[in-house]
Amino acid sequence: MMETPLPELEAILLVGGQGTRLRPLTLGTPKPLLPTAGVPFLAHQLARARSFGVRRIVFATSYRAEMFSEAFGDGSAFGLSLEYMTEETPLGTGGAIRNAADALTCGPDAPVLVLNGDILSGHDIGDQVARHTARQAAVTLHLTEVEDPSRFGCVPTDEDGRVTAFLEKTPNPVTNRINAGCYVFTRSVIDTIPAGEVVSVERETFPGLIEDGALVLGYADASYWLDVGTPGAFVQGSRDLVLGRLASPALPGPTGDLLALPGAVVDAGAKVDGGSVVGARAVVEAGAQVSGSVLGDDCVIRAGASVTDSVVGIGARIEPGAVLRDVVVGDGAVVGPGNELLAGSRVWPGIVLPECAIRFSSDR
Ligand code: GTP
């Protein structure tokens, strides 16, 4: 696909959320910084924005704000200029955009790109901005189609692409098109959001603009898209990047079945595949099976353990014969021999599960 290069453009990155659905992974690390395909999640977004010509990005931070500047600094290592605007108390998505806008340098008519910090998207950002500018829209929303729109903002449009309603998390969605979490705002429209107040763009700003007759445009496409807000989606995102289903300039190695970080030891008798990441200095012993999973730095998967579609935290240990499927194991936790943890199980950091403490039974 030809991608559209952009003239100079500033962006705001929303990264202040608590990531409650990803606990315990997000207890110590904000969602956008979780290691994903070998680097902090945001590294993929930053590299992608840069590939479209974005050079200056304002981070809208709140939860564990200092960790973002520690990770990315002034941005020069990434070929970007980065600013950080922190909310003392979270202001919601709209309040955060308004607060971050104080650090923008562009004029009132300029387009400003706004990105949710938990989305992987392959869409053509340059084309979205070009459409916004050509139609002189107030806001242009990237839209994607999902099978079950009820967990998202449902966004019907007319035949000209004008958004006719914005229905956040409705039980009876009227279309499968949803808000994909990437917006182009005309700068002056951001300035109409009240300053210093908690505002949701999804519940207040977008419905309000539509009601006032402003041109809110939909930019619908069918390229790769994933919201990594849940453990299952987070693991899928990492897997897709490692397998090359979504190209990322930030991937620290070739695409393939397995990404092994420096110092990782995978025994020749182990089976690791399905786009798994093996963290730095992590060990996978002979006879262990790992598929489609994210293994943190310094963790150990012992002989005969089986880990599928799961996250294993930093320094965690999975003992012989343990079976994990769709599971999150917190940092430093130990899953003792013979435990069977299935879909949705979450082991809190530092917890030690003794031998065969949890077994699955099909007898009900
Ligand atoms: P959950 O708690 O699991 O729903 O995750 P979340 O806190 O990230 O919330 P959600 O997925 O709805 O947020 C969408 C995007 O907006 C994410 O990138 C969040 O980091 C960001 N975000 C949400 N609320 C705020 C806020 O009050 N301030 C800032 N700066 N960003 C926010």
Side-chain angles (χ1 to χ4, degrees):
M1 182 179 70
M2 274 291 288
E3 290 183 338
T4 314
L6 291 169
E8 195 124 313
L9 181 74
E10 288 181 301
I12 293 173
L13 194 50
L14 294 172
V15 291
Q18 299 215 2
T20 51
R21 290 166 297 162
L22 274 176
R23 285 180 188 159
L25 297 172
T26 45
L27 290 174
T29 307
K31 174 166 56 174
L33 294 181
L34 290 175
T36 311
V39 291
F41 179 81
L42 279 188
H44 300 289
Q45 270 192 332
L46 295 182
R48 207 168 155 74
R50 193 181 184 286
S51 75
F52 283 100
V54 175
R55 291 289 179 271
R56 189 160 183 281
I57 302 182
V58 183
F59 280 47
T61 62
S62 177
Y63 178 62
R64 296 190 175 269
E66 70 295 340
M67 291 182 76
F68 291 94
S69 47
E70 281 162 22
F72 295 108
D74 66 0
S76 49
F78 303 86
L80 291 164
S81 160
L82 302 180
E83 298 279 337
Y84 301 88
M85 294 295 276
T86 301
E87 300 137 52
E88 291 295 314
T89 54
L91 292 175
T93 46
I97 294 169
R98 176 68 175 83
N99 189 57
D102 286 345
L104 294 173
T105 59
C106 61
D109 298 331
V112 176
L113 185 67
V114 178
L115 301 159
N116 276 3
D118 54 359
I119 300 291
L120 281 176
S121 175
H123 81 288
D124 185 340
I125 293 172
D127 192 40
Q128 183 184 352
V129 176
R131 292 267 192 102
H132 172 89
T133 306
R135 294 280 299 271
Q136 298 187 317
V139 186
T140 301
L141 313 176
H142 176 216
L143 308 180
T144 191
E145 274 191 23
V146 292
E147 244 166 63
D148 176 14
S150 60
R151 291 192 298 118
F152 301 94
C154 168
V155 187
T157 54
D158 70 12
E159 62 280 7
D160 289 331
R162 178 189 273 265
V163 174
T164 52
F166 197 100
L167 310 161
E168 184 66 2
K169 298 189 178 83
T170 166
N172 302 309
V174 294
T175 166
N176 285 41
R177 282 213 177 136
I178 58 141
N179 168 22
C182 173
Y183 321 121
V184 184
F185 272 85
T186 296
R187 163 73 200 262
S188 57
V189 174
I190 298 179
D191 295 335
T192 66
I193 299 172
E197 287 179 25
V198 177
V199 180
S200 159
V201 278
E202 299 88 345
R203 295 180 193 282
E204 295 166 74
T205 312
F206 297 146
L209 286 166
I210 293 164
E211 205 176 298
D212 292 348
L215 178 56
V216 177
L217 207 58
Y219 178 82
D221 89 331
S223 55
Y224 180 97
W225 183 86
L226 187 68
D227 170 350
V228 301
T230 60
F234 171 72
V235 177
Q236 189 189 331
S238 181
R239 197 161 60 214
D240 288 348
L241 288 161
V242 172
L243 291 169
R245 289 180 183 151
L246 175 67
S248 169
L251 190 73
T255 57
D257 243 5
L258 154 71
L259 174 67
L261 299 182
V265 179
V266 178
D267 190 279
K271 191 166 183 289
V272 182
D273 58 18
S276 296
V277 180
V278 184
R281 300 167 305 278
V283 175
V284 185
E285 292 185 357
Q289 292 197 17
V290 177
S291 181
S293 296
V294 179
L295 307 183
D297 295 347
D298 301 298
C299 75
V300 180
I301 312 297
R302 302 284 311 279
S306 167
V307 179
T308 307
D309 299 343
S310 296
V311 185
V312 177
I314 298 167
R317 218 167 64 229
I318 312 301
E319 296 286 2
V323 176
L324 277 63
R325 182 181 287 276
D326 293 321
V327 167
V328 174
V329 178
D331 295 349
V334 177
V335 178
N339 281 289
E340 293 176 354
L341 304 181
L342 301 185
S345 307
R346 301 183 193 204
V347 182
W348 243 240
I351 293 290
V352 177
L353 283 181
E355 182 164 359
C356 296
I358 300 179
R359 309 281 289 177
F360 177 77
S361 167
S362 55
D363 301 336
R364 283 160 209 267

